[in-house]
């Protein structure tokens, strides 16, 4: 699920291309545009989905913010798992294959998060974040799940999805509520 609002098209293109370049091919990309007022954005999004039925684009007629957009994207999704990308994120080509492999070996998992790093505009990686395995006390003090987060769609729904009004901390709020609904063995970390 990728919520967008007035995106820098170069970053968004890299995000979309990173999903299209996944080794694991059984994915669905849902982009929900939050009423961007630049016609170039919708033209870009419509062109991005051409030739790939796995990409769906939805444009809202009024600005509703990230929580609403993300929830709307989840409602449109067909899979039993959802993952969240920002409009300027990129996935490693093996991200989904690693996630699928992890889930195959850990069928009790309902939440999965990964390590991450940043990429500057020149393509240089920096600031790697090697996260710890499940640590409930750490999650109370910071959103260390952040990106890339996968959550079982049923758990997402049972937790109430993203709450409107929590923008800026909506993913942390969801993580706190969702982890409270599952046992520790249901929370996985992919290094």
């Amino acid at each position: 699920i990728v919520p967008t609002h007035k995106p820098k098209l170069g970053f968004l293109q890299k995000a979309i291309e990173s999903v299209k370049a996944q080794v694991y091919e059984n994915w669905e990309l849902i982009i929900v545009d939050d009423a961007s007022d630049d016609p170039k954005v919708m033209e870009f999004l419509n062109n991005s989905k051409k030739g790939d039925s796995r990409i769906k684009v939805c444009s809202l007629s009024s600005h509703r913010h990230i929580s609403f957009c993300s929830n709307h994207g989840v409602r449109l999704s067909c899979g039993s798992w959802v993952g969240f990308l920002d409009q300027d994120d990129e996935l490693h080509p093996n991200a989904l294959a690693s996630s699928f492999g992890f889930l195959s070996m850990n069928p009790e998992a309902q939440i999965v998060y990964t390590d991450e790093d940043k990429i500057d505009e020149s393509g240089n990686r920096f600031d790697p974040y090697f996260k710890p395995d499940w640590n409930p006390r750490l999650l109370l003090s910071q959103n260390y799940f952040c990106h890339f987060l996968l959550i079982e769609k049923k758990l997402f729904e049972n937790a109430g999805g993203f709450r409107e009004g929590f923008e800026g901390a909506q993913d942390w709020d969801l993580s706190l509520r969702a982890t409270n609904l599952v046992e520790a063995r249901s929370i996985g970390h992919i290094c």
Side-chain angles (χ1 to χ4, degrees), residues 61-77:
S61 58
S62 62
H63 185 48
R64 300 295 301 271
H65 302 284
I66 193 168
S67 295
F68 182 90
C69 289
S70 299
N71 288 338
H72 189 66
V74 172
R75 283 191 297 275
L76 295 174
S77 69

Side-chain angles (χ1 to χ4, degrees), residues 102-141:
F102 180 90
L103 292 173
S104 295
M105 299 195 52
N106 299 278
E108 72 283 354
Q110 294 178 275
I111 299 171
V112 177
Y113 61 95
T114 66
D115 291 346
E116 63 184 272
D117 62 4
K118 294 179 176 58
I119 305 173
D120 67 21
E121 292 187 38
S122 299
N124 300 309
R125 295 181 178 278
F126 68 100
D127 200 17
Y129 186 10
F130 302 107
K131 301 172 185 175
D133 287 342
W134 171 230
N135 183 330
R137 289 186 181 197
L138 182 60
L139 189 63
L140 289 174
S141 63

Side-chain angles (χ1 to χ4, degrees), residues 2-188:
V2 180
T4 65
H5 181 67
K6 300 181 180 181
K8 289 185 177 182
L9 296 182
F11 289 149
L12 181 56
Q13 181 173 4
K14 285 183 178 183
I16 293 168
E17 291 301 322
S18 78
V19 175
K20 291 170 79 171
Q22 290 299 298
V23 172
Y24 180 79
E25 296 180 341
N26 188 18
W27 51 261
E28 169 184 56
L29 176 61
I30 300 173
I31 305 167
V32 180
D33 183 69
D34 194 12
S36 295
D37 53 10
D38 183 349
K40 290 179 183 175
V41 171
M42 277 317 297
E43 180 183 352
F44 171 82
L45 291 174
N46 287 328
N47 286 335
S48 295
K49 69 180 183 179
K50 286 182 180 174
D52 198 329
S53 61
R54 299 173 296 177
I55 300 174
K56 299 175 185 171
V57 174
C58 174
S59 181
L60 303 179
S61 58
S62 62
H63 185 48
R64 300 295 301 271
H65 302 284
I66 193 168
S67 295
F68 182 90
C69 289
S70 299
N71 288 338
H72 189 66
V74 172
R75 283 191 297 275
L76 295 174
S77 69
C78 297
S80 58
W81 281 83
V82 291
F84 302 98
L85 290 177
D86 288 342
Q87 62 192 20
D88 60 353
D89 286 349
E90 293 180 47
L91 289 178
H92 185 278
N94 290 316
L96 296 180
S98 296
S99 299
F100 179 76
F102 180 90
L103 292 173
S104 295
M105 299 195 52
N106 299 278
E108 72 283 354
Q110 294 178 275
I111 299 171
V112 177
Y113 61 95
T114 66
D115 291 346
E116 63 184 272
D117 62 4
K118 294 179 176 58
I119 305 173
D120 67 21
E121 292 187 38
S122 299
N124 300 309
R125 295 181 178 278
F126 68 100
D127 200 17
Y129 186 10
F130 302 107
K131 301 172 185 175
D133 287 342
W134 171 230
N135 183 330
R137 289 186 181 197
L138 182 60
L139 189 63
L140 289 174
S141 63
Q142 64 175 282
N143 181 19
Y144 77 91
F145 284 3
C146 212
H147 301 149
F148 179 55
L149 175 68
L150 293 160
I151 184 169
E152 193 176 43
K153 186 175 178 180
K154 183 179 176 183
L155 175 60
F156 177 87
E157 293 165 345
N158 289 342
F162 292 107
R163 292 195 289 184
E164 291 181 57
F166 283 74
E167 286 73 20
Q170 74 284 345
D171 47 357
W172 189 12
D173 173 62
L174 171 67
S175 294
L176 289 168
R177 288 181 289 112
T179 57
N180 201 38
L181 297 175
V182 297
E183 296 181 26
R185 63 185 169 84
S186 297
I187 302 167

